[in-house]
Amino acid sequence: MAERPNLVRRTAFPSSVSRAVATPLQPSVVYSSPDPDALDDQYEGRAKGYTYGREGHPNADVLAQMIDRLEGGEGGIVTGSGMSAVTATLLGLLSAGDHIVGGNQLYGRSLRMMTQDLPRWGITSTLVDPTDIAAMRAAITPATKLLLVEVVSNPTLRIADMEGIEALARDTGLILVVDNTFTTPYGFPAYTRGADVVIHSVTKLLAGHSDVTLGYVLARDPARRKAIYDTNVTLGLTASPWDCWMAERGLYTFDMRFERAQANAAALADMIGAHDAVEAVLYPGRPDHPDHNRAGALLDGQFGNMVSFRLKGGRAQANALTRAAPQLAFAPTLGDVGTTLSHPASSSHRALTPEGRAALGITEGFFRVSVGCEPIELLGRDFRAALDAAV
Ligand SMILES: Cc1ncc(COP(=O)(O)O)c(C=O)c1O
């Protein structure tokens, strides 16, 4: 039999004097080095090179550098999801016996991690209202190492007392970790204001198209950065090159999506607030928002794309609303290019008792809207139809 052509040995990638405009996607998990000395140089930082995909790859680095530029830092780490960014940060920086003071309306899984998962490794937490700086200060114990906050609470859109919290971290030397997912660096420049660690769920507004799951961590102190990076690699919280490539693509339009969605949100909040079916609308840019003044001072007019509202009615009216507007994706997420609607009582906050939800103002008629980039006339028509059905 004639010798068959060898297709196992990889065919060299064609070279080109002209360069590709789009970033190449590099899916390789392994990288081949010329010799063991070269590998030593790479591992010991004398030469830049990739070794194994879980430890890093070019598409993650391109994405990290783009988000670094948004936050105004360098050395950000891309992780496989927003929750892996939270996990790598907390497990990388804390040990058994340490204590966290956290906001009491953080993302649900972050709350679960602090109340149910971390205690199994000997790390405890106290959750307090981040609009109440005296309560945050009172929750600090000699074992406290870290403060974890989100600027805008979910789903009631309260604004944390960030000036007070930043000063508290400075006074006490505690590590200030800000999950900046809702606000983004355009709404709140967490890192340049002094946060020690900034986290994003890149899945949301930054990537913007509901087709990747990614996270990001930026740590100021090199030793903390290394601890978070090593935890990420050891726990295998790696981001896939494809997801990074997709998120990079999404980021090119982040600026425009953010501006458009935010302008839509302001207009939609007024329209929703004026409807007969609605008991209250919550948007930090409105003068009737309980933290409007603080939002004005902290967010520099960037009030974001999230709007929440409470119907006068309960579950029956909530069902009628989503059924009347199937074109508005009823999905528990945020930050998509299109508008999405979530109902905390049946999704993110379903584990709470009705009394627990009531204490936060979350009724069966409570909705959170992640406003997208549709033409505002279209959104107005859709929401009018939905709210008319919920009277
Ligand atoms: C504020 C915040 N942090 C973290 C996460 C977790 O992100 P991911 O779903 O990418 O794991 C989310 C998800 O909704 C979030 O809203």
Side-chain angles (χ1 to χ4, degrees), residues 264-293:
N264 279 351
L268 198 65
D270 290 342
M271 186 248 131
I272 292 172
H275 197 282
D276 273 352
V278 174
E279 183 183 277
V281 66
L282 296 167
Y283 184 63
R286 279 171 59 98
D288 61 357
H289 186 280
D291 305 316
H292 176 64
N293 289 342

Side-chain angles (χ1 to χ4, degrees), residues 81-83 107 150 179 181-182 201 203-204 213-214 334:
S81 65
M83 276 318 296
Y107 174 60
E150 294 171 19
D179 180 335
T181 300
F182 266 53
S201 167
T203 314
K204 309 297 173 188
T213 308
L214 285 174
L334 68 121

Side-chain angles (χ1 to χ4, degrees), residues 39 42 50 78 101 118 208 233 296 350 358 379:
L39 206 51
Q42 283 174 229
Y50 297 97
V78 167
V101 174
L118 291 182
V233 174
R350 65 178 300 126
L379 279 181

Side-chain angles (χ1 to χ4, degrees), residues 79-86 105-110 150 152 154 179-183 199-204 212-215 332-334 368:
T79 67
S81 65
M83 276 318 296
S84 54
V86 174
Q105 281 194 59
L106 298 177
Y107 174 60
R109 281 277 157 186
S110 299
E150 294 171 19
V152 178
N154 176 33
D179 180 335
N180 211 12
T181 300
F182 266 53
T183 15
I199 289 173
H200 284 280
S201 167
V202 178
T203 314
K204 309 297 173 188
V212 299
T213 308
L214 285 174
T333 188
L334 68 121
R368 188 194 76 181

